[in-house]
Amino acid sequence: MDHHRPLMSDRVTVNGTVTPLALLADGRLWWSEGIHRCLSVEKDVLGFVASGPYIKIKSLVESRDGCCVSGGPARLVRNDVVFMPSSQASHGLWCQKLREFVDSLGRPKRLFVFVNPFGGRKCASEIFVEQVKPLLEDAQIQITVQETSHQLHAKEVAGSLDITKYDGIVCVSGDGILVEVVNGLLQREDWDVAIKMPLGVVPAGTGNGMAKSLLDSIGDPCDVAYAVLAIIRGHKQPLDVATITQGETRFFSILMLAWGLVADIDIESEKYRWMGSARLDFYALCRFFNLRQYIGRVSFVPAPGYEAFGEPSYYPGNSTSQGSNSDAKNVNLQKLCYLGPEINLENLNWRVINGPFISVWLHNVRWGAEDTMAAPDAKFSDGYLDLIIIKNCPKLPLLSMMSELNKGGHVKSPYVTYLKVKAFSLQPGPRTKDLEKEGIIDSDGEVLARGKGTYKCEQKALMAYDKLQITVDQGLATLFTPTT
């Protein structure tokens, strides 16, 4: 196919000047008048609208400091091109050819959008109205909007949503709403169909780890316009989903699990939420000066190439703890929904590392937050979780390591064990210096389990502070993804 062959060409009027305009077979719009003389329909064009004798092409183009040249941070700016075809017949033909080309791209036409007005800096509603909605409307995407009003609201809605009405679900929030949606889809009887619904995320919360991981994978900034453009373009990629199990209780994770230092910083810093994102750095220093170590044991099935880590072991078995989710009704309900990957754990090559530990961190994607590249080697759908373990580490190297988190340099420290695992089991224990106090297990930014003597330990968590296991289902979920 000749990519330079015009599907449509005409002499049109742009800004009062007559100029040739062509739609080429490769989807480029080319003309000779003005600064931006070429647009890629697939990459740049949101949509078009006919108004009287004119056609307006609505697009987003990359600009640096207001002009499309290199240097300075990139950002996307609106660039509408208005032209008048040479005749009424030509006008109709332009509309037809443009519509046919846009339709051939397989873009989403109907989206269900969650907006979390309470997350992060509480500006998701404003971001949606001012930045997200106008772009989706320009792309002529029909949207149904649901503001979340309470915790697990998005999970409840996703659990009963008529998915046949939509081409995707978008979360304008931090990572929490996306996690809720995945858990809601997997609790359905039709979970195997529902979990293939493409999911989009627009960064509007505190963490934004998934949005950062997606956009950074092709070098784009973690910015609302870039995230929305990726959703409009409609490219998709699979995402691994981890099943965390304790007895009959399950939680489906797409980001991370943390125990020890990282979990303590993530959850206990909530008391300083008024400080904004600075709370994490502030509380990290607090924990650094009063460092805790935890007794415990991690068992894992290493990915190929990582078999030398740890000592030979055996399948540690699933916990008999029931968390707070063990009533018989719930067990019966679960038989209809997703129960995790079908895998015979007993016959796998298990290894073990014993504590005490400063931190145990499991990651599914590269970034835990916009400034934390937790797992530099993580892949969206390799079927493995990246395991980062910090054991007895002096304070100075630990401080140095924490300053490397924004670029992933911490994993090169000799005090860090970094490997990939297919399955994982955690047996958490108490603090070494105070056996009456235990720790917090955090998954995807929410408390999974609170041990004795921890922050808000009187609050009920989903699971008990006891043994839990994690398995990975490769590429189970689907994400809208940016692409070059």
Side-chain angles (χ1 to χ4, degrees):
M1 175 179 162
D2 180 3
H3 293 295
H4 300 289
R5 177 178 59 83
L7 297 174
M8 175 80 192
S9 62
D10 190 13
R11 291 189 66 78
V12 303
T13 306
V14 179
N15 296 330
T17 304
V18 176
T19 177
L21 175 68
L23 173 62
L24 305 181
D26 63 1
R28 281 180 302 146
L29 273 168
W30 181 91
W31 66 101
S32 60
E33 179 65 28
I35 301 172
H36 308 292
R37 296 178 178 180
C38 184
L39 286 173
S40 163
V41 176
E42 199 284 316
K43 287 185 180 178
D44 307 319
V45 173
L46 302 170
F48 70 93
V49 61
S51 177
Y54 299 98
I55 294 174
K56 181 188 278 191
I57 308 282
K58 293 174 176 280
S59 71
L60 275 180
V61 296
E62 204 162 65
S63 167
R64 296 177 190 273
D65 295 330
C67 57
C68 293
V69 292
S70 59
R75 61 193 183 94
L76 289 174
V77 295
R78 301 295 285 270
N79 175 50
D80 293 349
V81 177
V82 181
F83 69 93
M84 185 170 72
S86 58
S87 67
Q88 194 171 351
S90 175
H91 185 284
L93 205 52
W94 269 112
C95 290
Q96 180 192 331
K97 292 295 182 185
L98 285 167
R99 172 55 51 216
E100 285 173 359
F101 196 91
V102 171
D103 286 348
S104 75
L105 298 172
R107 291 179 169 185
K109 292 183 168 64
R110 303 163 303 167
L111 293 173
F112 190 92
V113 182
F114 284 106
V115 179
N116 177 16
F118 305 107
R121 294 177 296 278
K122 298 183 171 53
C123 54
S125 298
E126 186 181 323
I127 287 171
F128 173 71
V129 170
E130 294 181 6
Q131 298 180 63
V132 180
K133 191 179 177 201
L135 294 177
L136 295 178
E137 286 176 343
D138 280 355
Q140 293 166 332
I141 295 174
Q142 294 175 25
I143 52 176
T144 303
V145 184
Q146 173 69 66
E147 280 207 347
T148 55
S149 59
H150 54 272
Q151 197 169 17
L152 301 183
H153 188 186
K155 181 184 176 186
E156 294 160 11
V157 174
S160 59
L161 187 68
D162 182 355
I163 56 173
T164 61
K165 291 183 176 176
Y166 305 101
D167 302 317
I169 298 173
V170 173
C171 305
V172 182
S173 70
D175 296 311
I177 299 298
L178 182 65
V179 175
E180 284 192 27
V181 169
V182 168
N183 277 269
L185 295 175
L186 288 173
Q187 76 176 8
R188 299 165 61 114
E189 289 185 36
D190 65 345
W191 63 267
D192 50 341
V193 176
I195 196 58
K196 295 306 173 195
M197 168 74 71
L199 307 175
V201 59
V202 177
T206 308
N208 304 323
M210 187 62 78
K212 174 75 172 184
S213 297
L214 285 165
L215 291 162
D216 184 66
S217 69
I218 64 158
D220 281 348
C222 188
D223 174 82
V224 170
Y226 282 91
V228 178
L229 183 59
I231 292 163
I232 289 169
R233 289 175 70 191
H235 292 274
K236 304 172 191 75
Q237 76 170 12
L239 175 71
D240 294 342
V241 176
T243 301
I244 306 173
T245 311
Q246 188 182 76
E248 294 291 341
T249 307
R250 286 173 182 79
F251 177 79
F252 304 112
S253 165
I254 51 174
L255 286 160
M256 51 76 85
L257 176 131
W259 171 57
L261 181 63
V262 173
D264 292 347
I265 293 169
D266 201 17
I267 301 304
E268 292 178 357
S269 66
E270 290 279 337
K271 61 183 96 165
Y272 303 106
R273 206 170 183 89
W274 54 269
M275 295 175 76
S277 56
R279 71 186 165 94
L280 294 167
D281 293 332
F282 169 75
Y283 195 70
L285 281 173
C286 296
R287 286 274 49 85
F288 168 77
F289 287 117
N290 185 16
L291 197 60
R292 300 170 185 160
Q293 293 202 36
Y294 291 91
I295 297 166
R297 183 171 70 250
V298 298
S299 307
F300 54 88
V301 177
Y306 297 91
E307 293 89 350
F309 288 89
E311 301 297 326
S313 185
Y314 51 86
Y315 174 50
N318 191 7
S319 169
T320 53
S321 286
Q322 295 296 335
S324 60
N325 222 358
S326 60
D327 54 274
K329 178 183 165 198
N330 193 57
V331 174
N332 291 332
L333 176 72
Q334 285 187 339
K335 287 176 184 164
L336 302 171
C337 67
Y338 175 70
L339 299 177
E342 292 179 13
I343 178 171
N344 187 342
L345 294 171
E346 292 179 28
N347 297 340
L348 298 175
N349 170 33
W350 285 87
R351 312 280 292 179
V352 67
I353 295 176
N354 289 302
F357 301 99
I358 291 173
S359 178
V360 174
W361 211 1
L362 268 174
H363 248 271
N364 192 31
V365 295
R366 292 179 78 198
W367 293 85
E370 283 185 65
D371 58 356
T372 308
M373 190 196 283
D377 298 339
K379 304 282 188 293
F380 290 103
S381 58
D382 60 357
Y384 303 110
L385 295 169
D386 284 36
L387 173 59
I388 305 115
I389 295 174
I390 306 172
K391 291 187 72 173
N392 23 326
C393 176
K395 286 189 176 178
L396 205 56
L398 185 61
L399 193 59
S400 165
M401 200 190 301
M402 288 164 75
S403 71
E404 293 278 320
L405 275 171
N406 62 339
K407 48 186 181 289
H410 61 292
V411 299
K412 297 185 179 124
S413 165
Y415 298 99
V416 170
T417 303
Y418 182 38
L419 68 151
K420 286 181 177 283
V421 301
K422 180 68 183 169
F424 175 86
S425 175
L426 172 64
Q427 178 68 65
R431 301 176 196 171
T432 52
K433 293 179 184 171
D434 187 348
L435 298 178
E436 292 303 307
K437 290 191 173 174
E438 296 174 324
I440 291 170
I441 303 171
D442 161 28
S443 182
D444 296 359
E446 299 297 330
V447 177
L448 206 58
R450 301 178 196 269
K452 287 183 298 186
T454 56
Y455 174 65
K456 292 190 175 177
C457 61
E458 71 287 348
Q459 289 189 7
K460 206 168 191 180
L462 182 68
M463 295 183 183
Y465 187 75
D466 198 351
K467 183 162 61 180
L468 51 83
Q469 76 177 30
I470 305 177
T471 49
V472 189
D473 211 332
Q474 186 170 5
L476 182 67
T478 300
L479 293 173
F480 285 118
T481 187
T483 186
T484 49

PDB file of all heavy atoms in Angstrom, residues 455-476:
ATOM      1  N   TYR A 455      -1.053   1.876  64.032  1.00  0.00           N
ATOM      2  CA  TYR A 455      -1.884   3.059  63.807  1.00  0.00           C
ATOM      3  C   TYR A 455      -3.309   2.629  63.440  1.00  0.00           C
ATOM      4  O   TYR A 455      -3.513   1.827  62.538  1.00  0.00           O
ATOM      5  CB  TYR A 455      -1.260   3.883  62.670  1.00  0.00           C
ATOM      6  CG  TYR A 455      -2.058   5.075  62.206  1.00  0.00           C
ATOM      7  CD1 TYR A 455      -2.297   6.151  63.058  1.00  0.00           C
ATOM      8  CD2 TYR A 455      -2.562   5.137  60.911  1.00  0.00           C
ATOM      9  CE1 TYR A 455      -3.018   7.259  62.629  1.00  0.00           C
ATOM     10  CE2 TYR A 455      -3.284   6.238  60.464  1.00  0.00           C
ATOM     11  CZ  TYR A 455      -3.513   7.295  61.343  1.00  0.00           C
ATOM     12  OH  TYR A 455      -4.226   8.385  60.915  1.00  0.00           O
ATOM     13  N   LYS A 456      -4.287   3.116  64.215  1.00  0.00           N
ATOM     14  CA  LYS A 456      -5.706   2.796  64.010  1.00  0.00           C
ATOM     15  C   LYS A 456      -5.978   1.290  64.049  1.00  0.00           C
ATOM     16  O   LYS A 456      -6.834   0.782  63.321  1.00  0.00           O
ATOM     17  CB  LYS A 456      -6.215   3.369  62.682  1.00  0.00           C
ATOM     18  CG  LYS A 456      -6.284   4.900  62.664  1.00  0.00           C
ATOM     19  CD  LYS A 456      -7.009   5.408  61.433  1.00  0.00           C
ATOM     20  CE  LYS A 456      -7.194   6.910  61.473  1.00  0.00           C
ATOM     21  NZ  LYS A 456      -7.822   7.457  60.283  1.00  0.00           N
ATOM     22  N   CYS A 457      -5.252   0.562  64.907  1.00  0.00           N
ATOM     23  CA  CYS A 457      -5.389  -0.906  64.927  1.00  0.00           C
ATOM     24  C   CYS A 457      -6.772  -1.354  65.392  1.00  0.00           C
ATOM     25  O   CYS A 457      -7.156  -2.509  65.204  1.00  0.00           O
ATOM     26  CB  CYS A 457      -4.304  -1.542  65.792  1.00  0.00           C
ATOM     27  SG  CYS A 457      -4.353  -1.022  67.516  1.00  0.00           S
ATOM     28  N   GLU A 458      -7.534  -0.429  65.969  1.00  0.00           N
ATOM     29  CA  GLU A 458      -8.898  -0.797  66.397  1.00  0.00           C
ATOM     30  C   GLU A 458      -9.847  -0.903  65.204  1.00  0.00           C
ATOM     31  O   GLU A 458     -10.929  -1.496  65.310  1.00  0.00           O
ATOM     32  CB  GLU A 458      -9.433   0.231  67.417  1.00  0.00           C
ATOM     33  CG  GLU A 458      -9.774   1.615  66.857  1.00  0.00           C
ATOM     34  CD  GLU A 458      -8.567   2.481  66.497  1.00  0.00           C
ATOM     35  OE1 GLU A 458      -7.438   2.108  66.896  1.00  0.00           O
ATOM     36  OE2 GLU A 458      -8.750   3.522  65.835  1.00  0.00           O
ATOM     37  N   GLN A 459      -9.439  -0.328  64.069  1.00  0.00           N
ATOM     38  CA  GLN A 459     -10.297  -0.420  62.878  1.00  0.00           C
ATOM     39  C   GLN A 459     -10.161  -1.801  62.238  1.00  0.00           C
ATOM     40  O   GLN A 459      -9.079  -2.357  62.156  1.00  0.00           O
ATOM     41  CB  GLN A 459      -9.883   0.650  61.857  1.00  0.00           C
ATOM     42  CG  GLN A 459     -10.247   2.058  62.275  1.00  0.00           C
ATOM     43  CD  GLN A 459     -10.014   3.063  61.157  1.00  0.00           C
ATOM     44  OE1 GLN A 459      -9.705   2.698  60.035  1.00  0.00           O
ATOM     45  NE2 GLN A 459     -10.166   4.334  61.489  1.00  0.00           N
ATOM     46  N   LYS A 460     -11.291  -2.305  61.770  1.00  0.00           N
ATOM     47  CA  LYS A 460     -11.300  -3.638  61.163  1.00  0.00           C
ATOM     48  C   LYS A 460     -10.683  -3.576  59.761  1.00  0.00           C
ATOM     49  O   LYS A 460     -10.996  -2.678  58.969  1.00  0.00           O
ATOM     50  CB  LYS A 460     -12.745  -4.124  61.064  1.00  0.00           C
ATOM     51  CG  LYS A 460     -12.876  -5.640  61.050  1.00  0.00           C
ATOM     52  CD  LYS A 460     -14.339  -6.037  61.247  1.00  0.00           C
ATOM     53  CE  LYS A 460     -14.473  -7.524  61.496  1.00  0.00           C
ATOM     54  NZ  LYS A 460     -15.860  -7.922  61.686  1.00  0.00           N
ATOM     55  N   ALA A 461      -9.809  -4.499  59.459  1.00  0.00           N
ATOM     56  CA  ALA A 461      -9.221  -4.579  58.121  1.00  0.00           C
ATOM     57  C   ALA A 461      -9.762  -5.814  57.411  1.00  0.00           C
ATOM     58  O   ALA A 461     -10.400  -6.678  58.023  1.00  0.00           O
ATOM     59  CB  ALA A 461      -7.703  -4.636  58.216  1.00  0.00           C
ATOM     60  N   LEU A 462      -9.510  -5.913  56.110  1.00  0.00           N
ATOM     61  CA  LEU A 462     -10.048  -7.027  55.323  1.00  0.00           C
ATOM     62  C   LEU A 462      -9.484  -8.357  55.787  1.00  0.00           C
ATOM     63  O   LEU A 462     -10.177  -9.369  55.829  1.00  0.00           O
ATOM     64  CB  LEU A 462      -9.719  -6.811  53.832  1.00  0.00           C
ATOM     65  CG  LEU A 462     -10.263  -7.864  52.868  1.00  0.00           C
ATOM     66  CD1 LEU A 462     -11.788  -7.802  52.802  1.00  0.00           C
ATOM     67  CD2 LEU A 462      -9.666  -7.676  51.483  1.00  0.00           C
ATOM     68  N   MET A 463      -8.188  -8.374  56.143  1.00  0.00           N
ATOM     69  CA  MET A 463      -7.524  -9.623  56.528  1.00  0.00           C
ATOM     70  C   MET A 463      -6.883  -9.495  57.903  1.00  0.00           C
ATOM     71  O   MET A 463      -6.687  -8.398  58.417  1.00  0.00           O
ATOM     72  CB  MET A 463      -6.458  -9.996  55.486  1.00  0.00           C
ATOM     73  CG  MET A 463      -7.026 -10.314  54.118  1.00  0.00           C
ATOM     74  SD  MET A 463      -5.752 -10.845  52.935  1.00  0.00           S
ATOM     75  CE  MET A 463      -6.780 -11.028  51.451  1.00  0.00           C
ATOM     76  N   ALA A 464      -6.555 -10.646  58.480  1.00  0.00           N
ATOM     77  CA  ALA A 464      -5.841 -10.677  59.756  1.00  0.00           C
ATOM     78  C   ALA A 464      -4.348 -10.490  59.498  1.00  0.00           C
ATOM     79  O   ALA A 464      -3.852 -10.753  58.409  1.00  0.00           O
ATOM     80  CB  ALA A 464      -6.094 -12.015  60.454  1.00  0.00           C
ATOM     81  N   TYR A 465      -3.627 -10.031  60.539  1.00  0.00           N
ATOM     82  CA  TYR A 465      -2.167  -9.889  60.438  1.00  0.00           C
ATOM     83  C   TYR A 465      -1.569 -11.281  60.625  1.00  0.00           C
ATOM     84  O   TYR A 465      -1.146 -11.681  61.706  1.00  0.00           O
ATOM     85  CB  TYR A 465      -1.677  -8.915  61.509  1.00  0.00           C
ATOM     86  CG  TYR A 465      -0.208  -8.558  61.408  1.00  0.00           C
ATOM     87  CD1 TYR A 465       0.256  -7.695  60.421  1.00  0.00           C
ATOM     88  CD2 TYR A 465       0.715  -9.069  62.312  1.00  0.00           C
ATOM     89  CE1 TYR A 465       1.591  -7.354  60.329  1.00  0.00           C
ATOM     90  CE2 TYR A 465       2.053  -8.736  62.245  1.00  0.00           C
ATOM     91  CZ  TYR A 465       2.491  -7.879  61.239  1.00  0.00           C
ATOM     92  OH  TYR A 465       3.830  -7.544  61.154  1.00  0.00           O
ATOM     93  N   ASP A 466      -1.589 -12.034  59.540  1.00  0.00           N
ATOM     94  CA  ASP A 466      -1.203 -13.451  59.592  1.00  0.00           C
ATOM     95  C   ASP A 466      -0.750 -13.845  58.189  1.00  0.00           C
ATOM     96  O   ASP A 466      -0.738 -13.020  57.267  1.00  0.00           O
ATOM     97  CB  ASP A 466      -2.414 -14.289  60.052  1.00  0.00           C
ATOM     98  CG  ASP A 466      -2.012 -15.678  60.545  1.00  0.00           C
ATOM     99  OD1 ASP A 466      -0.829 -16.055  60.382  1.00  0.00           O
ATOM    100  OD2 ASP A 466      -2.884 -16.389  61.080  1.00  0.00           O
ATOM    101  N   LYS A 467      -0.445 -15.090  58.022  1.00  0.00           N
ATOM    102  CA  LYS A 467       0.073 -15.558  56.741  1.00  0.00           C
ATOM    103  C   LYS A 467      -0.918 -15.297  55.604  1.00  0.00           C
ATOM    104  O   LYS A 467      -2.125 -15.493  55.746  1.00  0.00           O
ATOM    105  CB  LYS A 467       0.374 -17.063  56.828  1.00  0.00           C
ATOM    106  CG  LYS A 467       0.988 -17.623  55.543  1.00  0.00           C
ATOM    107  CD  LYS A 467       1.679 -18.948  55.773  1.00  0.00           C
ATOM    108  CE  LYS A 467       0.747 -20.021  56.269  1.00  0.00           C
ATOM    109  NZ  LYS A 467       1.437 -21.301  56.486  1.00  0.00           N
ATOM    110  N   LEU A 468      -0.380 -14.801  54.489  1.00  0.00           N
ATOM    111  CA  LEU A 468      -1.192 -14.650  53.282  1.00  0.00           C
ATOM    112  C   LEU A 468      -0.349 -15.046  52.072  1.00  0.00           C
ATOM    113  O   LEU A 468       0.878 -15.057  52.129  1.00  0.00           O
ATOM    114  CB  LEU A 468      -1.721 -13.211  53.160  1.00  0.00           C
ATOM    115  CG  LEU A 468      -0.744 -12.050  53.291  1.00  0.00           C
ATOM    116  CD1 LEU A 468      -0.024 -11.767  51.988  1.00  0.00           C
ATOM    117  CD2 LEU A 468      -1.501 -10.794  53.736  1.00  0.00           C
ATOM    118  N   GLN A 469      -1.029 -15.418  51.014  1.00  0.00           N
ATOM    119  CA  GLN A 469      -0.303 -15.824  49.805  1.00  0.00           C
ATOM    120  C   GLN A 469      -0.770 -15.026  48.600  1.00  0.00           C
ATOM    121  O   GLN A 469      -1.890 -14.507  48.573  1.00  0.00           O
ATOM    122  CB  GLN A 469      -0.454 -17.330  49.548  1.00  0.00           C
ATOM    123  CG  GLN A 469      -1.793 -17.732  48.985  1.00  0.00           C
ATOM    124  CD  GLN A 469      -1.878 -19.217  48.669  1.00  0.00           C
ATOM    125  OE1 GLN A 469      -1.248 -20.048  49.308  1.00  0.00           O
ATOM    126  NE2 GLN A 469      -2.682 -19.557  47.677  1.00  0.00           N
ATOM    127  N   ILE A 470       0.114 -14.927  47.608  1.00  0.00           N
ATOM    128  CA  ILE A 470      -0.163 -14.135  46.410  1.00  0.00           C
ATOM    129  C   ILE A 470       0.197 -14.948  45.175  1.00  0.00           C
ATOM    130  O   ILE A 470       1.279 -15.533  45.092  1.00  0.00           O
ATOM    131  CB  ILE A 470       0.644 -12.826  46.409  1.00  0.00           C
ATOM    132  CG1 ILE A 470       0.377 -12.053  47.700  1.00  0.00           C
ATOM    133  CG2 ILE A 470       0.299 -11.973  45.200  1.00  0.00           C
ATOM    134  CD1 ILE A 470       1.182 -10.794  47.826  1.00  0.00           C
ATOM    135  N   THR A 471      -0.727 -14.988  44.227  1.00  0.00           N
ATOM    136  CA  THR A 471      -0.473 -15.613  42.933  1.00  0.00           C
ATOM    137  C   THR A 471      -0.781 -14.596  41.835  1.00  0.00           C
ATOM    138  O   THR A 471      -1.515 -13.640  42.065  1.00  0.00           O
ATOM    139  CB  THR A 471      -1.349 -16.871  42.750  1.00  0.00           C
ATOM    140  OG1 THR A 471      -2.700 -16.540  43.089  1.00  0.00           O
ATOM    141  CG2 THR A 471      -0.877 -18.010  43.645  1.00  0.00           C
ATOM    142  N   VAL A 472      -0.218 -14.816  40.669  1.00  0.00           N
ATOM    143  CA  VAL A 472      -0.338 -13.845  39.578  1.00  0.00           C
ATOM    144  C   VAL A 472      -1.048 -14.480  38.390  1.00  0.00           C
ATOM    145  O   VAL A 472      -0.716 -15.595  37.982  1.00  0.00           O
ATOM    146  CB  VAL A 472       1.048 -13.350  39.112  1.00  0.00           C
ATOM    147  CG1 VAL A 472       0.900 -12.193  38.130  1.00  0.00           C
ATOM    148  CG2 VAL A 472       1.908 -12.941  40.288  1.00  0.00           C
ATOM    149  N   ASP A 473      -2.014 -13.753  37.830  1.00  0.00           N
ATOM    150  CA  ASP A 473      -2.695 -14.190  36.611  1.00  0.00           C
ATOM    151  C   ASP A 473      -2.217 -13.279  35.476  1.00  0.00           C
ATOM    152  O   ASP A 473      -2.532 -12.089  35.451  1.00  0.00           O
ATOM    153  CB  ASP A 473      -4.219 -14.089  36.782  1.00  0.00           C
ATOM    154  CG  ASP A 473      -4.946 -15.147  35.959  1.00  0.00           C
ATOM    155  OD1 ASP A 473      -4.395 -15.557  34.917  1.00  0.00           O
ATOM    156  OD2 ASP A 473      -6.051 -15.549  36.366  1.00  0.00           O
ATOM    157  N   GLN A 474      -1.452 -13.864  34.558  1.00  0.00           N
ATOM    158  CA  GLN A 474      -0.809 -13.054  33.525  1.00  0.00           C
ATOM    159  C   GLN A 474      -1.826 -12.428  32.573  1.00  0.00           C
ATOM    160  O   GLN A 474      -2.671 -13.115  32.001  1.00  0.00           O
ATOM    161  CB  GLN A 474       0.186 -13.904  32.724  1.00  0.00           C
ATOM    162  CG  GLN A 474       0.990 -13.093  31.719  1.00  0.00           C
ATOM    163  CD  GLN A 474       2.123 -13.894  31.106  1.00  0.00           C
ATOM    164  OE1 GLN A 474       2.272 -15.084  31.348  1.00  0.00           O
ATOM    165  NE2 GLN A 474       2.930 -13.238  30.295  1.00  0.00           N
ATOM    166  N   GLY A 475      -1.740 -11.085  32.444  1.00  0.00           N
ATOM    167  CA  GLY A 475      -2.543 -10.369  31.454  1.00  0.00           C
ATOM    168  C   GLY A 475      -4.046 -10.498  31.623  1.00  0.00           C
ATOM    169  O   GLY A 475      -4.787 -10.418  30.646  1.00  0.00           O
ATOM    170  N   LEU A 476      -4.519 -10.650  32.855  1.00  0.00           N
ATOM    171  CA  LEU A 476      -5.952 -10.881  33.083  1.00  0.00           C
ATOM    172  C   LEU A 476      -6.789  -9.643  32.746  1.00  0.00           C
ATOM    173  O   LEU A 476      -7.847  -9.750  32.129  1.00  0.00           O
ATOM    174  CB  LEU A 476      -6.194 -11.296  34.544  1.00  0.00           C
ATOM    175  CG  LEU A 476      -7.640 -11.612  34.925  1.00  0.00           C
ATOM    176  CD1 LEU A 476      -8.128 -12.875  34.223  1.00  0.00           C
ATOM    177  CD2 LEU A 476      -7.789 -11.771  36.431  1.00  0.00           C
TER     178      LEU A 476
END
